[in-house]
Amino acid sequence: MGSGTSGGEGEHINRVSVRSLDGECGIRIDDRIERRHCEIRTDRPSDPTPADETQFRYPVDTAVQLTAGRLTFEGFSRTFVHDGPDVTEVEYFESVSFDDGHYTLELSGPVKLYVELEGAIDVQTTVTEMDVSLSEAASVRIGARSYHEQPAATVTTTDDPVDVMAAVSTFGSAMKTTGSERSYPTLRGHPPTLQRGSSLSVPNGLQPPETDVHIEVPESLFETLAVAPLAYYLGAEVVPGPDPQLVVDGEPFSLEGDGGFERTVERTLKRTFFLDCVVRTAGPRSIPLYERRAVESSLDIDLSDLYGRSGAERLAAYNTVDYDAISSFVPTWKLTAHVDPVGSSLEVLPFLVDDLAVVRSPSQLSVAGDDPFAQNADPFEASTPDDGEFVRSTTRSPSDSSATPNQHVQPDQTDSLEQTWVGEGTPLGASKAIPEAFRNRLDREPRDGDIEIVVVCNDEEMLEERDVAAEVYGSREEFPIDVTFYEDLTTDRLALVLESDVDFFHYIGHVDEGGFECSDGLLDADSVGNIDLDIFFLNACRSYRQGRRLIEKGAISGVVTLDDVINSGAVRIGKTLAKLLNYGFPLRSALNIARERSIVGTQYLVIGDGNADIAQTQSGVPVLGTVSSANGEYEVTLDTFTTSGFGIGSQFRPAIEGNEMVYLCPGTLPTFEVRESALERYFSTGVFPVLLDGEFTWTDRLRSDN
């Protein structure tokens, strides 16, 4: 049951499905593309029947109707009750009663839900679930929407900068609103994809919205690529001009301020986005946003008055705000992309723009010498007995491209959570974006069933990592994961695994210049047919080449190594990464955290689409806690991350005793001071990583019930 529209050139696919729960009263809703699910329990057997999707006030992919007197929702972080134009947020541990009327419940979780019901209702929430009781059993309509965004069309462009400007000008057509609510990730659609051709071709319907805003830049790819995310967010056309400038209702604002062109574009994007996040709280949803309360009194603009104004009016007001006055409250930016301004980078651009990435022309440091990682090595730690032997100690010349990438480059680090590299060479300290990976993601078909994970251990000296994987993957009772383990596979059997429809492939063993080391020889990924697996982790020495081939033949993303890695370091990385992925961290963020756990962390990198993940989070957004203790009191600092469903501009309220504030994501929240009992209650709300007095651990290990 269920139907949905992909948004891609009229193609219809069944991407959200609904079915009755097995052995329980209620329904299960599956997002078959993002591989997310949620369950709604009811007080009586449910026989859901299709409902009219157009009757909901917001767009949904599928809708059903059922009869219930009580519904219980698990895993939803925010709950709003719409009563006509009035909107009420139900807080954690709150019970609210509503008189007889027509209501729409809006819930944010693994999928977006809208629940239409009539009558008097009581709504009661905890951290983990929400109960809705009706005065009497009645018909209830439930609509579900996937967070998945599919590009509406493909624009063909030449490498000529003027053609690229025209192509970038179509990106704003994907925005679902020009109001301040565009700062919500669910109201930012995916921009059209780009392909290179002999002439410019723009499909109908991709014109930017009428905004009275345009951007002028010189005729070069450098400036055009840099302003692409800003043009997308503003719904602005990009046109040739002698100097970079933002033109708002006829008034020019220079894009060459202090710090230069790229820095000014970055600040303009961040300031506009942040102030939109603040202004949107002046709407019908009364949200206690921490960032608004922190900056409102120091601003010379009336935030409430700006709500509902046109994009040009808001932007003109925003441009009067000194960026330094708000910079400490702007969300930590998710991604900085170092993009070589050449034609081969164009296909990746829409996916960077979809992330609202800061786009910079790469300033690179080529790393010379036999060991590109020597500058990061710690000679004392590397010599300790715990480090063991190298997984693979055979030495090779760095000029041998089959053994290691030809050119290592080190992009300038920024204050973004993540860095990615688009261009020739292999980056240190950043992921490697590969065009084929994004195309492969778009080509994926909806799938039913549990998340499929395959773990292959072809090295008996690394069985510890296999054992940890067996303990971690599938350990969440509320989340269906099917895990299969293999040891000492032959080349033929490993080839079958690589060609299988697998969500995640975790390889533990050796990789030689000829391929994966198997019990009967080497398997080169070049010899394998089409790759159907999505994400992989090749925890082996010098696995970059094989991982690159997996993506070129069909995979979406993976973690690989650039050089030899020592056994203990590889196991430590593997253990940490496995649990982070199991609890919903995207690949790029997970590796950034896992890198800090081992001296060999710099030798690992993500290739392909770094947003890929294998599981949904328990709290909506992934969280890393830092806790310090003193005299029975605890200071708690939380770092939030983003996912495919909860992008930059999402909101998060930690269920910490006494906290009433909502915070923008991603970023570092202000420090909370709590007693031990309150800290333990917060740890009981979910499993997430914690640095406790400098030691890396997990909340489930710190609870008194363990």
Side-chain angles (χ1 to χ4, degrees):
M1 180 183 297
S3 62
T5 304
S6 71
E9 307 198 25
E11 179 187 8
H12 291 266
I13 57 174
N14 183 19
R15 67 181 185 182
V16 176
S17 62
V18 182
R19 62 175 174 82
S20 297
L21 287 176
D22 295 330
E24 291 185 76
C25 296
I27 60 173
R28 169 172 165 144
I29 301 174
D30 284 277
D31 180 339
R32 301 172 61 238
I33 296 181
E34 292 293 327
R35 309 306 304 279
R36 302 289 190 260
H37 85 278
C38 65
E39 295 180 353
I40 305 172
R41 299 195 307 276
T42 57
D43 62 334
R44 64 199 63 211
S46 300
D47 184 18
T49 58
D52 186 354
E53 300 161 9
T54 65
Q55 295 302 307
F56 289 81
R57 65 168 65 194
Y58 298 105
V60 298
D61 291 315
T62 194
V64 296
Q65 185 168 301
L66 54 83
T67 299
R70 189 182 70 251
L71 304 99
T72 300
F73 304 82
E74 292 187 350
F76 288 87
S77 57
R78 308 293 306 283
T79 302
F80 294 96
V81 181
H82 296 259
D83 178 11
D86 298 325
V87 183
T88 302
E89 180 178 11
V90 183
E91 311 280 348
Y92 291 135
F93 304 109
E94 188 175 19
S95 181
V96 183
S97 296
F98 296 87
D99 294 334
D100 194 46
H102 181 91
Y103 300 98
T104 300
L105 307 183
E106 177 188 349
L107 301 95
S108 298
V111 296
K112 190 74 173 182
L113 287 188
Y114 299 98
V115 183
E116 300 274 354
L117 36 76
E118 294 187 5
I121 60 172
D122 293 317
V123 181
Q124 186 170 5
T125 66
T126 66
V127 173
T128 58
E129 65 180 33
M130 180 187 73
D131 277 311
V132 179
S133 297
L134 289 75
S135 55
E136 60 182 6
S139 178
V140 176
R141 291 187 299 130
I142 301 172
R145 185 176 76 235
S146 169
Y147 292 114
H148 179 79
E149 292 288 351
Q150 190 85 356
T154 297
V155 175
T156 301
T157 179
T158 70
D159 294 350
D160 181 85
V162 176
D163 285 347
V164 177
M165 290 180 195
V168 167
S169 296
T170 69
F171 288 176
S173 64
M175 298 296 286
K176 300 176 183 179
T177 178
T178 58
S180 57
E181 287 86 357
R182 64 189 172 184
S183 53
Y184 285 116
T186 54
L187 295 178
R188 301 192 299 269
H190 199 299
T193 54
L194 298 183
Q195 68 179 14
R196 299 163 74 193
S198 58
S199 62
L200 176 69
S201 177
V202 178
N204 292 330
L206 296 186
Q207 291 73 28
E210 295 291 336
T211 59
D212 292 324
V213 177
H214 72 268
I215 299 172
E216 298 177 3
V217 291
E219 295 181 17
S220 81
L221 287 183
F222 163 64
E223 282 91 351
T224 304
L225 298 184
V227 300
L230 180 62
Y232 161 72
Y233 187 74
L234 296 178
E237 185 179 6
V238 182
V239 298
D243 300 303
Q245 58 184 10
L246 175 65
V247 182
V248 183
D249 199 15
E251 182 179 358
F253 294 86
S254 175
L255 292 177
E256 292 185 306
D258 294 341
F261 166 70
E262 289 181 322
R263 184 60 173 153
T264 303
V265 171
E266 175 184 346
R267 287 186 165 204
T268 302
L269 174 62
K270 291 182 176 181
R271 176 176 56 218
T272 306
F273 175 82
F274 172 71
L275 291 175
D276 266 353
C277 289
V278 172
V279 167
R280 75 191 186 196
T281 64
R285 302 185 184 194
S286 179
I287 296 172
L289 186 69
Y290 166 79
E291 288 81 3
R292 176 176 178 174
R293 298 190 180 185
V295 304
E296 186 168 22
S297 62
S298 64
L299 298 178
D300 292 329
I301 58 176
D302 187 336
L303 299 176
S304 296
D305 181 64
L306 286 174
Y307 182 80
R309 296 291 189 94
S310 71
E313 290 176 302
R314 296 197 317 276
L315 184 56
Y318 296 168
N319 285 341
T320 67
V321 174
D322 180 8
Y323 181 79
D324 289 335
I326 61 173
S327 60
S328 60
F329 301 100
V330 173
T332 303
W333 217 248
K334 177 187 176 182
L335 180 64
T336 293
H338 307 268
V339 182
D340 195 3
V342 295
S344 58
S345 301
L346 293 178
E347 289 189 24
V348 177
L349 185 63
F351 302 95
L352 304 177
V353 167
D354 187 51
D355 269 341
L356 279 189
V358 169
V359 174
R360 293 184 175 181
S361 182
S363 173
Q364 66 186 52
L365 170 66
S366 295
V367 182
D370 290 340
D371 183 2
F373 304 100
Q375 60 184 353
N376 299 314
D378 186 324
F380 174 78
E381 288 195 27
S383 64
T384 58
D386 181 55
D387 285 331
E389 298 297 325
F390 277 93
V391 174
R392 193 69 180 170
S393 59
T394 303
T395 59
R396 306 178 182 88
S397 166
S399 63
D400 180 357
S401 62
S402 67
T404 190
N406 281 332
Q407 180 191 25
H408 295 288
V409 291
Q410 191 160 18
D412 294 335
Q413 293 300 292
T414 70
D415 56 3
S416 294
L417 281 176
E418 304 167 4
Q419 317 283 323
T420 196
W421 176 269
V422 182
E424 295 298 320
T426 307
L428 306 180
S431 64
K432 167 82 170 180
I434 301 173
E436 294 93 334
F438 301 99
R439 291 199 295 267
N440 295 341
R441 189 186 77 186
L442 295 180
D443 290 340
R444 283 296 185 267
E445 295 292 333
R447 291 188 285 186
D448 289 318
D450 296 346
I451 301 294
E452 297 286 342
I453 295 178
V454 172
V455 180
V456 173
C457 183
N458 274 6
D459 179 8
E460 63 180 12
E461 294 182 1
M462 296 184 71
L463 288 176
E464 179 185 354
E465 183 177 340
R466 190 280 314 271
D467 294 341
V468 170
E471 176 185 343
V472 170
Y473 295 137
S475 61
R476 295 171 57 183
E477 294 182 1
E478 83 283 7
F479 192 70
I481 294 181
D482 184 16
V483 190
T484 305
F485 296 89
Y486 298 106
E487 293 180 26
D488 297 326
L489 288 186
T490 62
T491 53
D492 287 346
R493 294 193 65 195
L494 181 57
L496 289 175
V497 170
L498 296 178
E499 294 171 352
S500 299
D501 189 3
V502 172
D503 294 282
F504 183 62
F505 170 61
H506 185 157
Y507 177 80
I508 306 165
H510 300 295
V511 171
D512 211 328
E513 65 181 74
F516 295 87
E517 193 170 291
C518 300
S519 59
D520 62 343
L522 296 175
L523 174 67
D524 194 327
D526 281 334
S527 67
V528 180
N530 291 332
I531 302 297
D532 278 339
L533 63 88
D534 289 347
I535 309 170
F536 56 84
F537 176 27
L538 306 184
N539 203 5
C541 291
R542 300 177 185 254
S543 60
Y544 176 89
R545 177 182 175 276
Q546 293 298 311
R548 179 71 185 256
R549 293 295 181 268
L550 292 180
I551 286 179
E552 291 169 350
K553 296 171 81 67
I556 295 173
S557 187
V559 174
V560 296
T561 62
L562 294 174
D563 206 350
D564 293 336
V565 289
I566 50 181
N567 273 352
S568 64
V571 170
R572 191 174 297 115
I573 289 280
K575 289 161 60 175
T576 306
L577 191 69
K579 194 160 186 177
L580 289 166
L581 292 174
N582 191 63
Y583 280 94
F585 279 80
L587 205 58
R588 196 159 44 208
S589 295
L591 182 60
N592 286 346
I593 296 173
R595 276 195 186 115
E596 302 299 320
R597 300 278 295 124
S598 173
I599 61 171
V600 300
T602 55
Q603 301 178 24
Y604 289 78
L605 82 156
V606 171
I607 58 175
D609 180 3
N611 288 327
D613 57 30
I614 66 171
Q616 62 196 52
T617 61
Q618 292 179 310
S619 60
V621 298
V623 174
L624 170 65
T626 300
V627 180
S628 58
S629 59
N631 301 321
E633 297 284 336
Y634 293 85
E635 292 187 344
V636 181
T637 304
L638 303 175
D639 288 288
T640 60
F641 298 80
T642 58
T643 67
S644 58
F646 289 81
I648 186 169
S650 298
Q651 298 170 162
F652 173 70
R653 178 167 54 202
I656 293 179
E657 187 175 286
N659 172 59
E660 298 180 352
M661 292 288 101
V662 173
Y663 302 86
L664 293 175
C665 298
T668 302
L669 276 58
T671 299
F672 301 94
E673 295 184 358
V674 299
R675 297 181 181 274
E676 183 174 356
S677 57
L679 181 65
E680 184 155 316
R681 280 195 294 273
Y682 180 53
F683 284 171
S684 69
T685 63
V687 180
F688 56 88
V690 174
L691 287 169
L692 177 60
D693 291 330
E695 180 182 352
F696 187 88
T697 185
W698 291 79
T699 55
D700 57 342
R701 298 179 184 174
L702 298 173
R703 299 200 292 250
S704 60
D705 55 354
N706 285 338

